[in-house]
Amino acid sequence: MLWPALRSVLFQLDPERVHHLAHWALHRVPLAVARARRPASIPALAVRCMGLDFDGPVGLAAGFDKGDVALPGLFGLGFSHVEIGTITPRPQPGNDRPRLFRLPEHRALLNRMGFNNEGMEACARRLAALPPAARLGPVGINVGKNKVTPNEDAAADYLACIERLHPYADYLVVNISSPNTPGLRQLQERDALDRLLRACVRHLAERAPGKPLLVKLAPDLSPEALDEAVDVAIAAGAAGIVATNTTLSRAGVERHPRAAEAGGLSGAPLERLATDVVRRCYARAAGRVPIVGVGGVMDAEGAYAKIRAGATLVQAYTGLIYGGPAFVGRVNAGLARLLERDGFSTLSDAVGADHRQGGGKAAG
């Protein structure tokens, strides 16, 4: 396999430099090549969710494409959907470097990027210039507030992004769970969350009736706070829950030299915690909205665990970094085998299976 050797070379370089190189390469993939190289879809993995059709469950999580809009190249890797963002109203450079760290022995990343992006106008221009044929699957846009915007004024930032970007999104995600913007996670508290989501849902309903708006929650909420956040989100009209963002926990990496760095941890150490959060969200939602499972999806088994715990869709980012260009194809092929092993004819049949088979006790 060529990828492990290439990865060992790339991992000698600064992580952000490699990230920029990846975007440079992805932007140079012609649409025809992206279509030709896209792994063949597997009928059993097709999913219909929130009124949208996905040719498989595995999408690209927010954080990789922060408005660069390298869609043909990303879809060419096999992702069923791509979530762009987090996008803020105004450009911002993010936190000081270094701010992205690899933990290879743990198959993990630690980042404190801080919503670095060129702002909603740049993102909108790139999306508007994209030919419709480049959309080989649903495109989500993940939105947040600028670092300098106080929480009491946060709604204005989210509404501005929704107003500017909704024409180019198949769905939108309100990100209130990044650990790298000071005070952002306070927006997950009951009253603040209710006010923010009601305003966002109402605004999107006026501009684009029926377009889904989801909310992304942190994995570090207490069980009671997580239940409350799910209840508030559904009552406010959110169309789904994205669970989860990166974690402040260092469980499993405590002895690593980078463990003391500030920021959110992603990758394999997050897998079990994120799956437990998916399980609890699914139980609490009780079928009212779908769950998108994110966090530690490094292989087919990890994706399948989230699906059985209640995720209709799953998303990966760190898994791609460690797994390479063939990552999605391997996960999808593995999922098909796991479905067949367990006697499921479609992926939808497996969603929440643990709860129906006595394995759905909520975390905590």
Side-chain angles (χ1 to χ4, degrees), residues 89 144-146 149-160 184 187 196 200:
K145 78 175 187 71
N146 281 108
T149 302
N151 277 3
E152 55 267 28
D153 299 328
D157 276 14
Y158 288 96
L159 295 178
L184 184 72
L187 295 174
L196 175 62
C200 291

Side-chain angles (χ1 to χ4, degrees), residues 6-26:
L6 178 58
R7 182 181 62 198
S8 67
V9 173
L10 293 174
F11 275 24
Q12 301 303 310
L13 304 176
D14 173 74
E16 282 202 60
R17 183 181 178 190
V18 175
H19 188 91
H20 292 311
L21 285 171
H23 272 278
W24 178 88
L26 288 164

Side-chain angles (χ1 to χ4, degrees), residues 163 166 199-210:
E163 175 70 24
H166 78 80
C200 291
V201 168
R202 182 170 57 249
H203 191 76
L204 183 59
E206 292 171 354
R207 298 299 191 271

